[in-house]
Amino acid sequence: EDFSNFDPSNQQTWPKTARAIVTAIQAAEPRLQNIHVKIKGYNTSLQSLEIAVSAFLKERKLLKEIHFSLELFRNSQGSGQAAA
C-alpha cells in the first residue's frame, strides 16, 4: 500500500488503512491467524493514528492470543510511517 498521500485525520480512509495493515501483517508473519485491526482514533498533537492489533500466533500445537499497538504517523514529507 502506498501511504505517500496518507491523511490520518480522514476517517473515511481508516477502513482501507486497517485492511492494508492486515495484509502487510499476513505477508510478514504467516504464523499469525485471525488478525483484527482496530483504529482507535486520531492523535491530533502527533498527527498519527492509534491502532490496536489482535491475532492468534500458531506455533506447532500452540495457539496463543496476542495483542499489540501501532501508531501510523504522517511525516513532514506527507508519507505514512508506522511504529510499534
Side-chain angles (χ1 to χ4, degrees):
E1 181 70 31
D2 179 12
F3 287 104
S4 59
N5 294 314
F6 173 68
D7 179 7
S9 66
N10 183 353
Q11 292 184 18
Q12 292 180 339
T13 65
W14 292 3
K16 181 180 176 182
T17 301
R19 288 189 302 272
I21 292 169
V22 169
T23 300
I25 292 171
Q26 288 171 330
E29 185 47 82
R31 295 176 300 167
L32 292 181
Q33 300 177 348
N34 201 20
I35 301 166
H36 293 282
V37 172
K38 179 181 179 186
I39 309 278
K40 295 168 54 177
Y42 175 66
N43 183 321
T44 54
S45 62
L46 294 175
Q47 294 188 344
S48 67
L49 278 185
E50 297 174 348
I51 303 163
V53 180
S54 64
F56 286 91
L57 175 65
K58 185 175 183 180
E59 289 188 301
R60 297 186 182 138
K61 295 181 182 181
L62 177 68
L63 193 60
K64 181 179 180 182
E65 188 172 9
I66 62 168
H67 303 269
F68 56 95
S69 298
L70 295 174
E71 272 188 277
L72 188 59
F73 295 90
R74 180 177 189 174
N75 71 21
S76 59
Q77 287 79 32
S79 63
Q81 293 181 323

